[in-house]
Amino acid sequence: MPAPVPFLLGTLPTPIGTMLLVFDEDAALRALDWSDHEDRMRRLLRLHYGTACALHEAPPPAVLRDPIDAYFAGDLGAIDGVAVRHNGTAFQREVWAALRHIPAGTTLSYGALAQRLGRDKAVRAVGLANGANPVGLVVPCHRVIGANASLTGYGGGLERKRWLLAHEGVALERGAVGGRQGMLDLG
């Protein structure tokens, strides 16, 4: 049996709950979730790294903590340079890389994301990859919405998704992203 992959687990208070950060010895982010969704985070870690994954508590390093704190303080681009490493299929990694190119303050539909990847018919697969993203916020899956501009699922809960989008300046209506305002123009 292989030796467990050693990861470090730290917490960070945010305006929308306690954040859990899983990182490696090089301070690359491996998973990010909210304390009330720890079971989901651990399930994704097992899915991506197998049962041979050991978490040891440690304070988050400044290279992770400072950009996330800055993001919540209003510097929305601060998290763009945070190093992430994740296991997943080649397709999942392709989707997750594309998510990092959706600028703060904009949203993109699952269909538009599939088109951006040159896979027009892979809308459901894009949605599944988005849902399996272990590094929410930094890999901004919260910026992906339904084709009708409605808020759709988010691993951290729809209220957090709504808060994050509003924090980034996306105009929201009750239960949905308002019209096309805030939508990323692909033209």
Side-chain angles (χ1 to χ4, degrees):
M1 180 176 282
V5 177
F7 291 144
L8 303 165
L9 171 65
T11 60
L12 188 63
T14 76
I16 53 176
T18 301
M19 182 178 284
L20 301 174
L21 303 170
V22 176
F23 50 98
D24 59 28
E25 59 189 16
D26 296 325
L29 197 56
R30 296 298 188 123
L32 181 153
D33 219 319
W34 310 98
S35 62
D36 55 334
H37 293 277
E38 184 173 355
D39 290 344
R40 175 188 180 278
M41 181 193 74
R42 288 180 181 272
R43 188 173 54 253
L44 286 174
L45 285 170
R46 280 192 305 276
L47 178 67
H48 295 294
Y49 298 102
T51 56
C53 180
L55 296 178
H56 306 283
E57 290 189 25
V63 296
L64 296 177
R65 183 188 64 244
D66 293 350
I68 292 171
D69 283 344
Y71 168 86
F72 282 108
D75 181 1
L76 303 178
I79 59 175
D80 292 348
V82 170
V84 297
R85 283 193 196 122
H86 36 60
N87 280 355
T89 66
F91 180 75
Q92 287 172 327
R93 290 191 309 271
E94 181 181 1
V95 170
W96 299 336
L99 290 173
R100 292 200 83 177
H101 294 287
I102 303 172
T106 61
T107 58
L108 193 64
S109 71
Y110 292 97
L113 184 56
Q115 287 176 350
R116 179 177 277 189
L117 295 170
R119 300 169 183 258
D120 297 8
K121 298 190 185 316
V123 176
R124 283 191 177 187
V126 165
L128 290 171
N130 197 55
N133 171 21
V135 191
L137 184 69
V138 173
V139 176
C141 53
H142 63 278
R143 296 178 187 154
V144 181
I145 59 170
N148 63 356
S150 64
L151 290 182
T152 55
Y154 176 64
L158 285 181
E159 285 306 311
R160 279 197 182 101
K161 181 172 185 164
R162 186 176 285 111
W163 190 97
L164 290 167
L165 290 172
H167 176 66
E168 294 181 359
V170 175
L172 299 174
E173 291 180 9
R174 188 175 177 192
V177 173
R180 295 191 50 79
Q181 192 171 16
M183 291 284 289
L184 186 60
D185 183 7
L186 294 176

